[in-house]
Amino acid sequence: MDEIGALREAFGGDEVPSQAAENRARAALHQRMSSKEQRVTSMSRRNRFAVTAGVVVAAAAAVVVAAVMVVGGGGDQAVPDAAPAKGVLPFARPASAAEYLENAAWTAERKPWKDPRPDQFMYIETLELRNKPAYENEHPNDPIKTGMGENRKIQEWNSIDGQTRAGYKDGRLVVTRRGQGGEYWDRIAWSTITSMTRPDKVPDAVPGPGSMGIELDAFIGQYVVPPNVQAAIFRHLAQAPGMTINPDAVNIDGRPAVGLGRIIEGYLSQELLFDQQTYQFIGERLVAVKDHVSHGDDGDHVSHRGDVYRQVIYSKMTIVDRPGDTQ
């Protein structure tokens, strides 16, 4: 099946928009992109989930096999009036990172959603490609080594009010209340998340308690957000300078994916992964795009083009009633 046939099958049988309609959509997007300059922040591969003022945010990691964001509850969220007709992507043949992200936003805002209660939980299930524990403990900053990599399934629950979290430890589900056993953590307030409904309301780093902040491409993997918020984030990223396409990106189960991201530290491509046919957000990765030698107090670190430092695919992101629930 060719690309257009796949799109028609995925999104319905509506007619492909005329060239004039495509041109109008393209012009509108370019106008949004040039409306203001966006600040771009970079992140070290040694601290993937960057936070400001030294506040450490626990990383909800992981690489997974499926690409669909599943949302609990019923009721479809309203589609903006400016959206194209049902089943018609804004860009039938996206040619830039901004056009891919607009298609991803259009796809995201059509997902069903029901606003959660404060006592409900965000459930995120992921599969992360990492080196085997013995090697990783000795070489925490190394890329994934051939023959050393393994997939680790991770399941995490965080309450909407930020007061409870849960996960599996040694095969047992452990539920912890904030302050219990001296454990404390910070989470972005739900009211902050739901306020990000337009690209101009989306910050480069999402603010949390005190001076905490999480960069956008880390934030969208740590929180289950409403469809309109995810769409606004993608449109905000579309306006950011330096966004590029890596058409050779391939996700962990071998299906073709497109990587959209920025070059950081001069040699690393920090990418969000999207399904090439459905434009679903499916994961992220950090990969070297050229050879590089880093000099540090612990010695020199050699990177080779193609080295993967992080690869995560999101299999399920949904709202559930209690820890242990997965749907």
Side-chain angles (χ1 to χ4, degrees):
M1 180 183 298
D2 62 18
E3 181 181 348
I4 297 302
L7 289 173
R8 285 174 176 162
E9 179 175 306
F11 295 104
D14 292 356
E15 295 183 359
V16 176
S18 66
Q19 186 62 51
E22 288 192 24
N23 291 340
R24 288 195 299 273
R26 189 185 304 269
L29 179 63
H30 288 172
Q31 183 177 7
R32 283 201 302 275
M33 291 169 57
S34 61
S35 62
K36 63 174 184 176
E37 293 185 356
Q38 298 294 326
R39 176 178 60 86
V40 179
T41 55
S42 65
M43 298 163 63
S44 167
R45 63 183 167 92
R46 294 176 178 82
N47 183 11
R48 172 63 184 84
F49 295 119
V51 295
T52 59
V55 180
V56 179
V57 177
V63 199
V64 268
V65 208
V68 182
M69 299 273 285
V70 183
V71 181
D76 292 342
Q77 183 170 333
V79 176
D81 293 337
K86 180 181 177 182
V88 180
L89 284 165
F91 296 95
R93 299 177 182 85
S96 67
E99 292 178 359
Y100 269 103
L101 285 164
E102 178 59 27
N103 279 359
W106 181 89
T107 299
E109 63 194 358
R110 278 157 175 77
K111 295 174 184 174
W113 176 260
K114 182 178 180 180
D115 289 334
R117 304 186 309 268
D119 64 335
Q120 289 186 299
F121 286 76
M122 303 180 194
Y123 171 62
I124 299 179
E125 180 183 308
T126 55
L127 188 68
E128 182 174 359
L129 180 63
R130 295 170 64 173
N131 286 318
K132 294 179 179 179
Y135 184 90
E136 184 179 77
N137 291 339
E138 293 292 326
H139 309 279
N141 292 321
D142 277 12
I144 310 301
K145 296 293 185 182
T146 303
M148 287 287 180
E150 63 179 17
N151 296 328
R152 301 185 194 176
K153 179 181 177 179
I154 297 178
Q155 297 170 278
E156 294 192 345
W157 292 261
N158 281 279
S159 61
I160 298 297
D161 63 12
Q163 297 303 303
T164 306
R165 67 183 184 185
Y168 281 98
K169 184 177 182 180
D170 299 325
R172 184 172 63 92
L173 181 64
V174 178
V175 181
T176 307
R177 289 282 298 176
R178 192 172 187 275
Q180 179 182 342
E183 288 193 44
Y184 292 89
W185 58 82
D186 288 319
R187 296 281 292 177
I188 305 297
W190 186 249
S191 58
T192 298
I193 293 172
T194 57
S195 70
M196 299 189 299
T197 55
R198 299 198 313 263
D200 60 345
K201 291 185 175 182
V202 176
D204 291 322
V206 184
S211 56
M212 184 184 101
I214 307 178
E215 292 196 11
L216 281 177
D217 43 11
F219 168 79
I220 59 176
Q222 294 184 51
Y223 291 79
V224 179
V225 303
N228 62 337
V229 171
Q230 189 180 66
I233 290 173
F234 292 154
R235 289 182 173 120
H236 176 91
L237 290 173
Q239 299 172 12
M243 293 294 291
T244 59
I245 303 174
N246 180 2
D248 298 325
V250 176
N251 76 10
I252 203 168
D253 61 357
R255 291 175 305 145
V258 61
L260 305 177
R262 295 182 284 253
I263 304 300
I264 61 174
E265 300 181 24
Y267 70 103
L268 293 170
S269 179
Q270 180 177 292
E271 301 172 351
L272 301 178
L273 300 177
F274 295 85
D275 186 283
Q276 282 188 340
Q277 293 184 348
T278 67
Y279 301 95
Q280 294 272 0
F281 170 57
I282 60 177
E284 58 178 278
R285 75 171 190 166
L286 187 67
V287 59
V289 291
K290 67 179 182 179
D291 296 345
H292 181 80
V293 179
S294 301
H295 306 286
D297 295 337
D298 54 348
D300 293 344
H301 297 273
V302 179
S303 298
H304 300 285
R305 185 178 183 274
D307 282 350
V308 176
Y309 286 90
R310 175 177 171 79
Q311 181 163 293
V312 174
I313 306 296
Y314 300 97
S315 57
K316 187 177 289 187
M317 303 179 80
T318 188
I319 301 296
V320 298
D321 288 334
R322 60 188 64 84
D325 289 352
T326 60
Q327 58 184 6

